[in-house]
Amino acid sequence: MASSNLPRRIIKETQRLLSEPAPGISASPAEENMRYFNVMILGPAQSPYEGGVFKLELFLPEEYPMAPPKVRFLTKIYHPNIDKLGRICLDILKDKWSPALQIRTVLLSIQALLSAPNPDDPLSEDVAKHWKANESEAVETAKEWTRLYATGE
Amino acid sequence: MMEDSCDDEDFYDGGGDDDSDPDSVVISYDGLMDHDSDDFDDLNSSNLIYYHRSQNYAILNEDDIRQHQEESITQISTVLSISRVAASILLRQYNWSVSKVNDEWFADEEKVRKTVGLLENDTPLPADQELTCGICFENYPRDRMRAVACGHPFCVVCWKGYIGTSINDGPGCLMLHCPDPSCGAAVGHDMVNELASKDDKEKYNRYFLRSFIEDNRKTKWCPAPGCDYAVNFTVGGGNYDVTCHCSFSFCWNCVEEAHRPVDCGTVSKWIMKNSAESENMNWILANSKPCPKCKRPIEKNQGCMHITCTPPCKFEFCWLCLGAWSEHGERTGGFYACNRYEVAKQEGVYDEAEKRREMAKNSLERYTHYYERWATNQSSRQRAIENLHQMQTVHLEKLSDKQRQPESQLKFIIEAWQQIVECRRVLKWTYAYGFYLNEHEHAKKQFFEYLQGEAESGLERLHQCAEKEFQGYLNSEGPSLEFNEFRTKLAGLTSVTKNYFENLVRALENGLSDVDSHAACGRAGSSHNVGGSSGKGRGGKAKGSTSRSSSSKNMDDSGHWSCEYCTYANVRSSTVCEMCQRHR
């Protein structure tokens, strides 16, 4: 590993992510850039995303851990807090970031967001409206998208 | 519930500094009504600045601010028996209100502690020789680790990074918590002092100072560009005008420049209107003339002076004199040497009444009328401020030399200029007031325009005397015999003008209510009422306001005549009003 100027913290986090992965989550650094991670999150059970495998990218900026990691979905997903470009509306990725949080905690929070969409704090206005107006129909769309885009068929 | 009454004491009950600060004493005028001794005899100028009925604010420089801040912290720290660091955190949370902190603390200490993250007991660092930093995951000996009251250990390097990042993110650093996401323990000034870089500490202290002004209901920064003073204001008394030591006057309530006697609502409407229209207006004024017949603005985009207005008007006229083209020819001295200006004006090309109706219909023109006067007084005031400054720094000394008068005897000149500056400000805002005055309230409108006209013509005479006549004495070879006359005249004009403006300010502040009972009175009648209602008929006499309707055609004793229509004071020699182009 070309890690001579990589902070110890990142190395340790990476090792721990690989050796003791969180259930339903995998994250591995790219060969050429140890600050770039390929992430997969399994759609949580009892959610419209169940059965889906969602790809994300995660990047640790120079200031990490003083600044939060940058994360976005690569797989299309129908969710009120995630927009067309895969950007995620999550407080700990913005003002609620603390250097004592980690890649692992961030990914667990994203997994939890899939189980509990919050249409009251929307990033994607249309989806959130749909969610509030007719939740069961929105859930159906989310399931449909999961089947279409996240099952690797 | 008792918040308000206590709050006012935040600054004062600590040090009583209000009394001890000589800077906060501004000349105050002790009432307006008892000023009916002879205007010209009353050269005592201690009551020149008439608008401070009482001083209900104090100007604070940076040292004052720090001192007040320290006093508040001392007070809370003493009363609650907590550290100064904890006291500042509490005060910050409750917007620097000592009484609010007291109330909240004694109502529910536990809740307050939880809200701001002040733990009752310190948890020491874990006892191990070596500890793991929760940020970089490195192990360090115990003495390289720090924690706030909660005891969550982080290494010195990570703490520095954490604090530095937060300070560079802005004033939120004043409410910093332990990095542990589940922990709300506050990080105070002491940690910052120990761990932040020199630059960051300075930034933090700046935010800390700013917070004391910006988060506090009773203080604001002076809005003048580059001014570092703050103002502490005690609400009550209804007058919001504040004058900073930098000499900028502003309204405490809306932070626009001072606009008494006009209320904040009118001012904000007017400023909004100006920002929406002024650019259009300026362009139109600079680049066009209204067609003399239909009043639509015309831009001259070709060289010839022969203008034909677009249909349906199709009026043909001369760009220079705005007279009908059909009357141009050899007789007038040729098309391009147009001397028809005076002739056209005197003949009254158009029926006056119809013209007036046209004007009334055209709201843009109405707005232009008020805007031009508002803006002119604004720039006139700006120049007067410069003049005043020049007077204080250069001219007074020179004059003292020339006229062999001690500078202390020349104060009347400074006072005249101060009066001019203040009057220009008031006058300017009366045009915003006039714009919003209901067109249909004729009596009020007439009364207003009468008062405004009186004030304006008085001011013009004062301004002229202070500007033009003064030059003569400044540039004379040696002492002039007439200098004492000049003194008497200028001081007299200052005093008279002050009275006119007091009348005006008072009348506008009570909503021109004097006029309600005399609604039917005409202009001549109302001129008597002014004198009567203000308790001093002399303002009128001194200046000859009653002569408005007399044979001297509005001529006053300094050779001005004020225009019947727009009240502008014109020089004796002109027959047409400089401002609105109407005949005398």
Side-chain angles (χ1 to χ4, degrees):
Chain A
M1 278 187 219
S3 59
S4 56
N5 49 11
L6 206 61
R8 274 286 285 279
R9 153 142 180 178
I10 294 180
I11 297 168
K12 283 196 177 172
E13 270 201 74
T14 308
Q15 284 167 353
R16 219 179 290 171
L17 277 169
L18 295 172
S19 60
E20 335 159 11
I25 294 173
S26 83
S28 49
E31 284 289 331
E32 65 281 14
N33 184 351
M34 295 291 293
R35 287 177 176 272
Y36 183 90
F37 288 75
N38 293 304
V39 178
M40 304 243 251
I41 296 181
L42 299 184
Q46 275 102 49
S47 81
Y49 312 101
E50 186 172 3
V53 179
F54 295 88
K55 278 192 192 158
L56 298 88
E57 59 179 5
L58 181 149
F59 180 72
L60 304 176
E62 190 56 37
E63 304 80 26
Y64 183 83
M66 292 309 160
K70 299 184 188 306
V71 198
R72 91 182 171 101
F73 273 85
L74 295 172
T75 307
K76 251 169 101 74
I77 182 168
Y78 198 76
H79 189 288
N81 308 105
I82 300 164
D83 74 2
K84 281 206 285 253
L85 301 174
R87 293 176 301 191
I88 306 160
C89 179
L90 187 63
D91 56 0
I92 58 161
L93 291 176
K94 293 169 193 150
D95 54 315
K96 289 290 186 325
W97 171 252
S98 154
L101 291 167
Q102 302 177 25
I103 298 172
R104 176 190 302 269
T105 42
V106 166
L107 295 179
L108 284 168
S109 296
I110 293 172
Q111 197 181 37
L113 191 67
L114 296 185
S115 296
N118 179 10
D120 289 323
D121 182 18
L123 188 62
S124 184
E125 201 67 53
D126 298 347
V127 181
K129 243 185 236 161
H130 192 192
W131 219 275
K132 286 177 99 162
N134 189 344
E135 190 175 333
S136 60
E137 194 185 291
V139 166
E140 278 314 308
T141 310
K143 282 183 181 166
E144 178 71 7
W145 281 38
T146 305
R147 198 178 58 74
L148 279 174
Y149 305 112
T151 49
E153 281 164 16
Chain B
M1 42 212 145
M2 48 188 299
E3 177 192 331
D4 268 307
S5 57
C6 294
D7 249 359
D8 294 340
E9 290 162 19
D10 276 2
F11 279 146
Y12 304 124
D13 52 7
D17 38 70
D18 192 29
D19 299 325
S20 61
D21 181 6
D23 279 357
S24 68
V25 180
V26 167
I27 307 162
S28 66
Y29 179 59
D30 51 351
L32 304 168
M33 303 304 176
D34 54 350
H35 195 54
D36 55 353
S37 62
D38 194 330
D39 287 323
F40 284 88
D41 291 345
D42 184 17
L43 301 183
N44 176 352
S45 52
S46 68
N47 46 17
L48 253 178
I49 302 171
Y50 56 83
Y51 53 91
H52 286 140
R53 279 166 185 160
S54 63
Q55 178 83 17
N56 51 353
Y57 61 88
I59 311 293
L60 311 174
N61 65 22
E62 200 174 313
D63 290 341
D64 299 332
I65 299 168
R66 272 188 215 292
Q67 195 193 331
H68 285 311
Q69 193 171 23
E70 289 303 308
E71 278 162 11
S72 301
I73 294 169
T74 307
Q75 223 177 319
I76 286 299
S77 149
T78 315
V79 174
L80 309 188
S81 307
I82 55 176
S83 71
R84 292 183 67 81
V85 172
S88 353
I89 292 170
L90 274 175
L91 279 160
R92 219 308 319 156
Q93 175 72 27
Y94 294 104
N95 298 332
W96 299 97
S97 165
V98 170
S99 58
K100 179 93 174 148
V101 171
N102 279 326
D103 289 353
E104 295 286 330
W105 183 269
F106 291 114
D108 191 346
E109 180 182 327
E110 199 182 332
K111 189 177 136 215
V112 172
R113 280 183 178 280
K114 211 169 166 216
T115 311
V116 301
L118 283 180
L119 309 187
E120 193 147 9
N121 299 307
D122 275 14
T123 310
L125 285 173
D128 315 53
Q129 276 304 306
E130 205 162 69
L131 296 169
T132 306
C133 168
I135 293 175
C136 66
F137 303 164
E138 301 284 350
N139 292 332
Y140 286 110
R142 208 162 169 278
D143 65 344
R144 301 262 320 262
M145 303 296 274
R146 294 286 181 282
V148 283
C150 55
H152 292 124
F154 300 97
C155 74
V156 170
V157 179
C158 286
W159 264 114
K160 284 184 174 174
Y162 181 63
I163 290 173
T165 305
S166 158
I167 290 175
N168 285 296
D169 274 353
C173 63
L174 299 177
M175 290 175 288
L176 196 59
H177 294 293
C178 167
D180 188 307
S182 59
C183 175
V187 177
H189 219 141
D190 47 347
M191 270 310 243
V192 173
N193 279 339
E194 187 197 337
L195 297 169
S197 71
K198 188 165 164 286
D199 282 359
D200 286 351
K201 256 185 266 186
E202 247 165 54
K203 263 192 203 162
Y204 185 90
N205 287 333
R206 178 70 21 204
Y207 286 132
F208 192 66
L209 185 86
R210 274 176 52 183
S211 161
F212 187 70
I213 300 300
E214 289 163 27
D215 297 327
N216 195 324
R217 281 196 297 118
K218 293 180 305 168
T219 53
K220 283 177 186 165
W221 294 110
C222 168
C227 175
D228 291 330
Y229 288 112
V231 177
N232 176 32
F233 189 87
T234 310
V235 177
N239 179 11
Y240 286 119
D241 282 7
V242 163
T243 302
C244 179
H245 286 339
C246 75
S247 85
F248 184 71
S249 295
F250 65 99
C251 168
W252 170 267
N253 194 39
C254 68
V255 207
E256 291 294 345
E257 61 171 324
H259 52 70
R260 191 167 171 251
V262 181
D263 62 71
C264 299
T266 305
V267 167
S268 97
K269 259 197 296 186
W270 178 251
I271 287 173
M272 189 91 92
K273 186 166 181 63
N274 288 348
S275 66
E277 297 201 13
S278 68
E279 281 188 35
N280 288 335
M281 188 60 70
N282 287 337
W283 192 91
I284 291 170
L285 286 177
N287 297 287
S288 77
K289 290 183 182 181
C291 165
K293 194 167 181 191
C294 72
K295 296 290 174 202
R296 283 180 296 173
I298 294 174
E299 180 192 8
K300 184 165 145 39
N301 56 3
Q302 282 171 24
C304 170
M305 297 297 162
H306 181 174
I307 306 290
T308 307
C309 188
T310 51
C313 174
K314 292 198 264 187
F315 183 64
E316 293 180 43
F317 65 97
C318 165
W319 180 258
L320 292 175
C321 73
L322 300 178
W325 193 254
S326 56
E327 289 166 8
H328 277 61
E330 298 296 317
R331 193 169 55 85
T332 64
F335 291 122
Y336 304 106
C338 188
N339 64 355
R340 285 188 48 79
Y341 188 71
E342 288 302 314
V343 187
K345 284 291 166 191
Q346 267 151 31
E347 284 171 356
V349 179
Y350 302 107
D351 171 45
E352 281 297 308
E354 190 183 326
K355 202 169 166 190
R356 202 168 296 202
R357 258 200 309 280
E358 282 289 330
M359 280 183 79
K361 261 193 273 170
N362 192 333
S363 74
L364 186 67
E365 208 157 295
R366 184 168 170 275
Y367 169 67
T368 314
H369 173 92
Y370 290 97
Y371 179 75
E372 270 187 318
R373 281 153 188 79
W374 180 82
T376 309
N377 274 295
Q378 159 81 346
S379 54
S380 183
R381 176 170 187 267
Q382 231 36 57
R383 276 198 303 280
I385 289 173
E386 286 157 25
N387 288 341
L388 171 61
H389 181 72
Q390 202 176 30
M391 203 61 70
Q392 284 165 324
T393 50
V394 187
H395 288 165
L396 215 57
E397 203 182 328
K398 185 174 166 199
L399 185 70
S400 158
D401 226 35
K402 282 262 163 73
Q403 302 293 341
R404 310 248 167 82
Q405 300 261 359
E407 277 192 42
S408 60
Q409 292 293 304
L410 299 175
K411 248 173 46 193
F412 70 97
I413 295 174
I414 300 298
E415 280 153 7
W417 279 103
Q418 284 169 336
Q419 193 67 51
I420 290 168
V421 169
E422 170 63 9
C423 289
R424 286 282 170 212
R425 185 188 68 70
V426 171
L427 191 58
K428 173 180 124 177
W429 286 113
T430 62
Y431 280 104
Y433 185 94
F435 181 77
Y436 291 108
L437 193 58
N438 193 336
E439 288 271 299
H440 303 297
E441 290 189 89
H442 292 295
K444 277 196 177 180
K445 200 165 169 62
Q446 279 197 352
F447 181 50
F448 164 69
E449 284 175 356
Y450 169 76
L451 289 174
Q452 191 189 38
E454 292 291 285
E456 182 153 25
S457 60
L459 176 58
E460 292 304 332
R461 286 183 300 149
L462 171 62
H463 206 153
Q464 164 129 346
C465 181
E467 199 166 79
K468 302 258 156 57
E469 293 185 33
F470 168 81
Q471 285 299 331
Y473 297 102
L474 186 66
N475 299 324
S476 69
E477 292 301 314
S480 318
L481 291 171
E482 306 86 31
F483 188 74
N484 277 334
E485 277 171 43
F486 171 68
R487 179 204 309 279
T488 313
K489 182 175 176 191
L490 189 62
L493 283 173
T494 306
S495 166
V496 169
T497 306
K498 183 181 69 131
N499 279 340
Y500 284 136
F501 275 82
E502 277 168 16
N503 278 340
L504 181 62
V505 166
R506 219 171 320 139
L508 297 197
E509 280 189 331
N510 67 24
L512 298 169
S513 57
D514 282 359
V515 96
D516 291 343
S517 48
H518 313 291
C521 293
R523 173 163 272 196
S526 66
S527 113
H528 282 294
N529 289 337
V530 181
S533 62
S534 65
K536 48 174 165 213
R538 52 174 321 94
K541 255 183 280 162
K543 198 230 135 209
S545 67
T546 47
S547 69
R548 243 176 204 290
S549 48
S550 76
S551 56
S552 72
K553 261 279 188 187
N554 306 342
M555 189 71 79
D556 67 23
D557 51 16
S558 73
H560 284 83
W561 58 275
S562 50
C563 172
E564 284 278 4
Y565 187 74
C566 75
T567 71
Y568 184 79
N570 292 285
V571 293
R572 189 200 298 266
S573 54
S574 63
T575 56
V576 172
C577 174
E578 244 182 88
M579 198 58 94
C580 70
Q581 316 287 309
R582 255 156 240 284
H583 284 273
R584 224 163 121 182

